[in-house]
Amino acid sequence: MMSVPELIRINIPFIILVLLLLVAAGLTYWQYKNTVPQLNRIKKYFLMTLRFGVWFLLLLLILKPQLTLSFFRSDQVKNALFVDQSLSISQKGKKIQEVQAVRGLQKMIEIPVKMFGFNNHVWEITADSIKKGQGPTNFSTLFKYINNSHFDNVVILSDGYITEGPIPQYLDKSQIRLFTVGVGQNTNQPDIYIDQIQAPPTTYANSKQNILIRVGSKHLRRDTTIAIQLSSGGNVLFKRKIYFKHEQNTFKELNFPIVSSGLGIKKYSISMDTLQNERNIENNSRQFIQQVLKKRLSIQILGGKVGLDGKFLYELLHQNPDFDVIYHVELQEGTFLTAEKKTINWNADVFILVNFPGAFTTQHTIRKLEASKSGKLVLLGANTRVDLLTQLLGNDSFKNIKIKTKPTTYSSFQLSENSVLSVFSKADLNQRFWTTLPPVNSFYQLPSSVTSHMNKWVISQGKPLIGSFTEKRNKWILMNGYGFWRWHFWLQENNELNNGYRLLLEKFMRWLAIQKKIKRVVLETNQLFGRVGQPLQLTTYLYDNAFKPVTNGNVQIEIDNGYKKIILDAFPADSSGTYSATFIPGKQGLHIFKAMGKIQQRFVGSDVLKMEVLPVEKEWLHNGVNKTYLEQIANDNHGLYVSAGEIDSLRSLFTGKEKIKKEILSVELWQKTVILVLILVLIGLEWIVRKRFGLV
């Protein structure tokens, strides 16, 4: 910044300053009109100048003066180039256009330009590191990255088709100019494509279901009949023919009734014949995954007394057709009240213990729960019997849990990095969900002997509020509080978050219901399948001989994608013995993950997990360029849209090396100590001179 400002302004009008000068002069003249003894003119004028300065500064401070200083300096222009690296750019014509556009920009660039690649995230690249595209296109993530930068001019090379996230329009920073370069050509080539597939992610063995498929056509030159088929495991399940008229854009919907057989993950493929000379054939086929379960998930809620937490757990989980939920409230020893008049299913997939074990809980009930191998969710309430809970867990550490006479209020929740609690698919919604929730109360203080082996999922005020652990080879989730039902009602006015608490509970239920055999090494993920270019969260648990979590081990994950094997090192464990890793698949097809655990450099075991990775098929729907959207965001952000062949028109953008930047500094004089010091100095100096002249 330059040392001398080019322009100085004050927030007080000129006429007011003139009046202040006159008032200060009048007060000074009135005080020094007659002095005893009489002074000569020079001495009097000197004293009057000192007194005038004091009066003027005091009167000025009453109006809270503020100076605005304008500095002008030259600065280097900061430009950035963002190159679309999503799957849709892999189409031959688009890729060639994009590479040629980048080379054209390189030739005209005279100043440094940062180059980035993007799909659903952003990373720094060079012209030589541009690779085959993969993953979806997310402009919301791109805009967020640009908003957090300090660029003056931004150029985006893309086809403009968004396949993930919201559609942004404006940048937050108005000083950034946005230029877009369209990659691809809009042609009138005939095209047929699979637009949508509607199939439930979960179904049940031997149950009937309808798979709804929507197919579309563009620019057909004549009436056409196309064959479409649904297949699984190499077997054709259905084959139909579709008749398209030669219209501009048409859609057809088909229902394929199927009966699910077998259990586990089922992969289905839908494919259509291709047209003669059809340019984009990648959108003629799509795949989807279903999980086939043996039956509906059985959930038993046991309440130590009637309460809102238990009631709303039942109401929310009961809305899910995949859950069979029964709510039992303990009235007296061995007796439970159930609205459906059903007995407790001790073989249920999940038990939810709300304020339970309670005052009437018997040893017979505890032994029944001990014999159950199901996962359990515990909500600690004011009436929970810690002694019976300790017996049920088989862990003496829980004896140290202390109940308090006055509950503690917990708020400002912080989320640990654990995939189970990714309530929403969008990271920004997850962040808003956890920061929006109202406080909850707790009567219990969890000692370190309990929290040390918990996987802490949610933390408040440095204390774990929600966490998981493994005891007796069973999964447990502990929610240390009551009043969680408020989370549901607090979010009802937010259309994006209003189902958050229900989705969180459903995540808990599905995680607890996975009754995978506990081994020394356990590899898990909460995803049914992966997508090319999208992060896949992998979690590994490492146990010692007594099946206690190990935090000082090492985990490596070997990934076989059918072409080559990749070795991935998991992050060091947290206090619960959880080793996390993130993998971004680059190819579709079956992937085999093998987690290998070591304790003190000694191999202790491994676990294998298989998963199908599907392409991001939305990326193949469009072969051209979304010129309308690219023009819109360029015009709305002070820029310009050009096609890849017109890249030379941006030459002036990259030739200017410097810009004149105006910086403004505001100085509030009435808060400056130097002004007060100056007033005191003037008063002190006046007093000294008056004393010397015999006026004191």
Side-chain angles (χ1 to χ4, degrees):
M1 182 181 290
M2 299 177 62
S3 58
V4 179
E6 300 286 331
L7 181 65
I8 301 176
R9 291 182 178 178
I10 192 168
N11 64 333
I12 301 173
F14 176 75
I15 186 65
I16 301 297
L17 288 176
V18 172
L19 289 175
L20 289 180
L21 290 171
L22 292 176
V23 170
L27 290 172
T28 303
Y29 176 76
W30 176 75
Q31 288 182 317
Y32 277 96
K33 182 172 62 174
N34 296 308
T35 60
V36 179
Q38 291 289 329
L39 300 176
N40 61 43
R41 183 176 298 179
I42 295 176
K43 292 180 179 180
K44 181 180 289 189
Y45 285 168
F46 180 70
L47 286 172
M48 290 178 68
T49 302
L50 295 176
R51 179 58 60 90
F52 172 80
V54 172
W55 277 119
F56 179 73
L57 290 176
L58 288 174
L59 293 172
L60 187 65
L61 289 181
I62 295 174
L63 300 179
K64 295 184 178 181
Q66 182 178 3
L67 289 181
T68 301
L69 310 178
S70 298
F71 300 87
F72 296 90
R73 66 181 179 89
S74 60
D75 197 6
Q76 190 177 57
V77 176
K78 296 178 181 177
N79 296 321
L81 175 62
F82 292 86
V83 182
D84 193 338
Q85 295 279 269
S86 63
L87 185 61
S88 64
I89 300 297
S90 296
Q91 298 176 34
K92 185 176 180 181
K94 292 183 180 180
K95 196 65 185 177
I96 293 173
Q97 280 191 343
E98 188 176 67
V99 172
Q100 290 175 345
V102 171
R103 289 175 180 172
L105 283 171
Q106 277 190 306
K107 291 179 181 179
M108 68 176 71
I109 289 174
E110 299 179 3
I111 56 177
V113 175
K114 281 198 169 185
M115 190 178 298
F116 302 87
F118 74 94
N119 46 31
N120 61 345
H121 63 289
V122 182
W123 66 96
E124 197 163 346
I125 62 172
T126 62
D128 297 329
S129 65
I130 296 177
K131 56 185 179 180
K132 183 179 179 181
Q134 62 180 20
T137 309
N138 191 319
F139 265 65
S140 178
T141 301
L142 174 62
F143 271 45
K144 195 173 295 184
Y145 188 93
I146 296 173
N147 284 327
N148 293 329
S149 68
H150 300 283
F151 300 121
D152 299 298
N153 302 308
V154 168
V155 180
I156 299 175
L157 270 73
S158 175
D159 59 7
Y161 285 109
I162 298 173
T163 57
E164 181 183 276
I167 302 176
Q169 184 174 349
Y170 297 99
L171 290 169
D172 293 342
K173 295 183 177 179
S174 59
Q175 70 271 23
I176 299 177
R177 293 197 302 166
L178 177 64
F179 299 83
T180 55
V181 179
V183 178
Q185 292 180 345
N186 290 325
T187 64
N188 293 327
Q189 293 290 328
D191 187 28
I192 56 172
Y193 57 95
I194 300 173
D195 183 57
Q196 288 183 6
I197 299 174
Q198 293 184 14
T202 304
T203 186
Y204 305 97
N206 303 317
S207 63
K208 293 182 180 180
Q209 58 173 322
N210 284 321
I211 308 298
L212 179 64
I213 302 170
R214 187 182 189 217
V215 297
S217 66
K218 295 179 182 177
H219 313 300
L220 297 184
R221 296 187 175 92
R222 61 178 181 272
D223 295 354
T224 305
T225 300
I226 294 296
I228 182 171
Q229 66 180 31
L230 172 67
S231 58
S232 178
N235 299 318
V236 177
L237 304 180
F238 283 97
K239 194 167 185 178
R240 299 265 184 88
K241 288 190 175 182
I242 316 171
Y243 177 73
F244 289 108
K245 290 186 176 182
H246 61 288
E247 298 175 358
Q248 207 52 16
N249 292 292
T250 58
F251 290 100
K252 299 279 187 178
E253 290 188 351
L254 300 92
N255 270 311
F256 286 96
I258 64 173
V259 177
S260 304
S261 60
L263 300 176
I265 303 298
K266 298 292 181 182
K267 177 182 176 182
Y268 295 91
S269 298
I270 300 171
S271 58
M272 293 192 300
D273 292 342
T274 59
L275 300 172
Q276 187 177 4
N277 299 323
E278 186 176 1
R279 186 172 181 178
N280 184 12
I281 63 173
E282 286 87 357
N283 58 16
N284 288 33
S285 62
R286 289 185 67 172
Q287 300 171 334
F288 67 95
I289 296 290
Q290 276 192 328
Q291 183 181 32
V292 182
L293 304 175
K294 186 176 181 180
K295 57 183 177 59
R296 295 171 67 197
L297 208 64
S298 175
I299 302 171
Q300 303 285 303
I301 303 176
L302 305 183
K305 60 182 295 186
V306 177
L308 291 175
D309 272 316
K311 179 180 179 181
F312 280 97
L313 279 171
Y314 171 77
E315 293 294 338
L316 292 177
L317 294 175
H318 191 68
Q319 297 176 18
N320 192 318
D322 295 336
F323 296 163
D324 180 17
V325 189
I326 308 295
Y327 183 26
H328 310 271
V329 179
E330 194 173 37
L331 296 179
Q332 54 187 359
E333 293 185 0
T335 303
F336 289 84
L337 173 65
T338 305
E340 294 85 353
K341 297 183 179 180
K342 294 182 179 180
T343 59
I344 299 175
N345 176 14
W346 297 108
N347 296 316
D349 298 295
V350 177
F351 277 94
I352 302 178
L353 311 181
V354 184
N355 224 349
F356 191 92
F360 302 113
T361 305
T362 63
Q363 285 294 326
H364 174 74
T365 301
I366 295 297
R367 285 193 293 270
K368 285 282 190 180
L369 285 171
E370 283 180 313
S372 168
K373 300 301 180 184
S374 58
K376 297 175 180 67
L377 170 64
V378 178
L379 277 79
L380 290 176
N383 303 107
T384 302
R385 286 187 58 181
V386 176
D387 58 331
L388 292 181
L389 181 62
T390 303
Q391 179 185 338
L392 179 60
L393 289 165
N395 188 331
D396 290 339
S397 300
F398 281 79
K399 288 182 179 179
N400 300 322
I401 295 179
K402 303 296 183 183
I403 187 169
K404 296 175 286 187
T405 56
K406 186 178 179 181
T408 301
T409 300
Y410 290 102
S411 59
S412 302
F413 308 109
Q414 295 178 338
L415 180 63
S416 322
E417 292 185 1
N418 193 294
S419 58
V420 172
L421 294 188
S422 296
V423 180
F424 298 95
S425 58
K426 300 175 184 176
D428 56 335
L429 283 184
N430 274 317
Q431 181 68 21
R432 285 168 51 198
F433 173 77
W434 290 106
T435 55
T436 305
L437 295 174
V440 294
N441 298 317
S442 175
F443 278 99
Y444 295 93
Q445 181 177 353
L446 301 181
S448 58
S449 59
V450 172
T451 61
S452 60
H453 69 286
M454 284 180 62
N455 183 6
K456 305 172 185 66
W457 285 348
V458 180
I459 299 171
S460 178
Q461 301 170 20
K463 306 290 185 181
L465 184 70
I466 301 176
S468 67
F469 52 91
T470 303
E471 289 293 344
K472 295 184 178 180
R473 302 196 181 188
N474 291 332
K475 289 181 176 179
W476 293 75
I477 294 177
L478 180 67
M479 300 175 71
N480 181 24
Y482 67 94
F484 288 99
W485 58 270
R486 297 189 187 95
W487 287 9
H488 175 70
F489 286 99
W490 189 269
L491 300 172
Q492 288 314 291
E493 294 184 1
N494 191 312
N495 294 329
E496 292 182 303
L497 305 176
N498 55 7
N499 288 323
Y501 184 49
R502 178 177 61 82
L503 294 175
L504 176 67
L505 294 174
E506 291 179 359
K507 289 269 187 180
F508 286 168
M509 297 302 102
R510 297 193 188 281
W511 185 81
L512 288 169
I514 301 175
Q515 296 182 5
K516 189 171 182 178
K517 182 180 178 181
I518 301 296
K519 304 184 296 183
R520 298 288 300 278
V521 180
V522 178
L523 175 63
E524 290 184 353
T525 180
N526 74 321
Q527 296 171 238
L528 293 179
F529 60 91
R531 290 279 188 188
V532 175
Q534 297 189 15
L536 183 64
Q537 302 297 328
L538 301 168
T539 302
T540 306
Y541 302 94
L542 195 57
Y543 300 96
D544 60 17
N545 289 325
F547 288 96
K548 297 297 183 184
V550 175
T551 59
N552 60 349
N554 300 99
V555 172
Q556 279 191 330
I557 301 176
E558 180 186 86
I559 304 164
D560 186 351
N561 61 9
Y563 299 92
K564 62 179 180 179
K565 292 184 178 181
I566 304 167
I567 299 297
L568 188 68
D569 290 318
F571 289 110
D574 59 18
S575 60
S576 66
T578 303
Y579 300 77
S580 301
T582 301
F583 173 67
I584 301 178
K587 293 183 178 295
Q588 62 176 317
L590 180 65
H591 284 55
I592 301 175
F593 301 88
K594 183 180 180 181
M596 298 167 287
K598 290 183 179 180
I599 300 177
Q600 297 180 351
Q601 302 304 315
R602 184 174 60 86
F603 178 77
V604 295
S606 63
D607 194 16
V608 175
L609 182 132
K610 297 181 180 180
M611 177 176 288
E612 286 283 351
V613 175
L614 304 182
V616 186
E617 289 144 334
K618 289 182 180 180
E619 291 285 311
W620 298 119
L621 285 180
H622 307 284
N623 192 47
V625 57
N626 190 355
K627 181 180 177 181
T628 302
Y629 176 66
L630 293 177
E631 280 185 333
Q632 180 183 9
I633 60 174
N635 294 334
D636 290 342
N637 294 282
H638 323 294
L640 177 71
Y641 166 82
V642 298
S643 66
E646 302 169 328
I647 197 73
D648 194 60
S649 60
L650 297 181
R651 179 179 297 274
S652 61
L653 181 66
F654 295 96
T655 55
K657 296 183 179 180
E658 291 186 346
K659 62 176 180 179
I660 301 300
K661 188 174 182 180
K662 180 180 179 180
E663 293 187 0
I664 297 176
L665 176 65
S666 295
V667 181
E668 295 182 343
L669 294 177
W670 62 281
Q671 289 186 341
K672 292 295 182 181
T673 307
V674 65
I675 301 299
L676 179 60
V677 171
L678 179 59
I679 293 174
L680 294 176
V681 168
L682 291 175
I683 293 175
L685 183 60
E686 183 189 6
W687 184 85
I688 292 173
V689 174
R690 284 171 61 88
K691 185 175 182 181
R692 188 165 183 176
F693 292 164
L695 298 178
V696 177

